[in-house]
Amino acid sequence: MTDGVWSADRERRLAVAQRGKIHGGRPVFLHHGTPGSRIGPLPREGLLYRLGVRLITYDRPGYGDSDRHEGRSVGDVAADVAAIADHLGLDRFAVVGRSGGGPHALACAALIPHRVTRAAVLVGLAPPEAEGLDWFDGMAEGNVAEYMTAMQGRARLAARLGPTAAEIREDPVRLVNALYDELPEPDRSVIADAGIRTMLVQNYAEAVRNSAYGWIDDAMAFCSPWGFDPADIRVPTLLWHGEDDVFSPVSHSRWLAGRIPTATVRIQRGAAHFHALHVLPDLLGWLARDERAA
């Protein structure tokens, strides 16, 4: 079920979808990866219902059917999530972000803590100014090139990602195939599953269906001041990372774990970036627990 929700400034429309136990379930916002969209990949509907989870996804500005918010910061997401929650009549909710969604989940935990019960980040990124962290160490060449281009300015990044997005629109399988050469073996095993490959292809196609702006603005936001300090987070926060990740290196979660006072970190050996798709269902039960529970 997809709905259109006005942003807090009433100037943009956000495409929002809900799945699982929509009536009476515990609300969990899932922040998609980069590039990504509201459509997935997602846990199965039956599992969500059994866990009592009301899963809420939405296209970040510029992706899918959501209007662009040019110049947005990572922290700007908190106002959008609050606006969606208001529209849905939700006071409190949990947040989880996968990959590029990770920083956005942290933004909600830091900036609207009175509404966020718990936060989880799977294979996320640390801020670019993270003290003591070599931000690019262990990162695949493709991601290094993308973020280095972002640091040179929006015009250069648009010139790089615009044609790539156009190619994905013409052939959505292209991005999955292009990623394959950089994947460590654990990731290759995950996306060898035909169902997961299909979900990824559909997700990437929806992400850039109208433009490359969501992707461009995400990368610019990651490489700019985020608008909050992870050290300010006080809600229970779980960080998960595959040790062999080359897209967002494990050192990023280790840095965040040392910065966020309420963080618990889980590093999994023999796993990498896309293993997060298998881990998410296991974390939903924790996210949906009453915030007063231990």
Side-chain angles (χ1 to χ4, degrees), residues 19-45:
R19 294 169 180 81
K21 193 174 182 182
I22 296 175
H23 302 290
R26 289 194 175 274
V28 177
F29 276 82
L30 170 60
H31 296 264
H32 63 70
T34 302
S37 72
R38 70 192 182 284
I39 69 172
L42 301 170
R44 295 182 184 277
E45 187 87 22

Side-chain angles (χ1 to χ4, degrees), residues 110-176:
L111 298 174
I112 47 173
H114 56 293
R115 305 192 71 169
V116 173
T117 57
R118 294 175 179 231
V121 175
L122 297 88
V123 295
L125 289 167
E129 71 278 10
E131 185 177 355
L133 174 67
D134 184 343
W135 208 76
F136 292 110
D137 184 42
M139 191 178 288
E141 291 182 6
N143 275 28
V144 172
E146 179 179 318
Y147 294 133
M148 289 293 287
T149 304
M151 292 176 180
Q152 296 169 19
R154 190 179 308 276
R156 285 180 177 253
L157 183 63
R160 176 186 178 90
L161 294 184
T164 302
E167 291 169 354
I168 293 170
R169 283 194 291 275
E170 183 177 339
D171 178 15
V173 178
R174 176 184 175 84
L175 183 56
V176 176

Side-chain angles (χ1 to χ4, degrees), residues 3-16 67 79-80 82-84 86-87:
D3 193 10
V5 177
W6 283 107
S7 60
D9 58 18
R10 303 292 299 175
E11 294 182 355
R12 294 175 289 108
R13 295 281 284 178
L14 300 166
V16 180
D67 295 336
D80 284 344
I84 294 168
D86 289 345
H87 175 82

Side-chain angles (χ1 to χ4, degrees), residues 167-272:
E167 291 169 354
I168 293 170
R169 283 194 291 275
E170 183 177 339
D171 178 15
V173 178
R174 176 184 175 84
L175 183 56
V176 176
N177 290 341
L179 289 172
Y180 194 82
D181 289 341
E182 293 189 304
L183 294 180
E185 189 54 40
D187 275 342
R188 293 186 178 189
S189 298
V190 172
I191 69 169
D193 181 277
I196 288 179
R197 285 180 68 88
T198 297
M199 286 191 291
L200 288 172
V201 168
Q202 293 172 341
N203 178 47
Y204 295 145
E206 178 64 13
V208 299
R209 178 165 54 83
N210 291 313
S211 75
Y213 287 141
W215 194 357
I216 293 166
D217 294 341
D218 261 3
M220 292 298 300
F222 296 147
C223 297
S224 305
W226 282 9
F228 67 95
D229 187 341
D232 293 335
I233 294 173
R234 293 294 184 271
V235 305
T237 303
L238 181 61
L239 308 169
W240 180 92
H241 223 112
E243 193 172 52
D244 299 331
D245 193 340
V246 298
F247 294 105
S248 46
V250 66
S251 56
H252 287 240
S253 279
R254 289 188 170 123
W255 186 91
L256 288 168
R259 188 73 177 170
I260 300 171
T262 53
T264 298
V265 63
R266 297 179 185 172
I267 309 298
Q268 186 167 336
R269 293 183 177 180

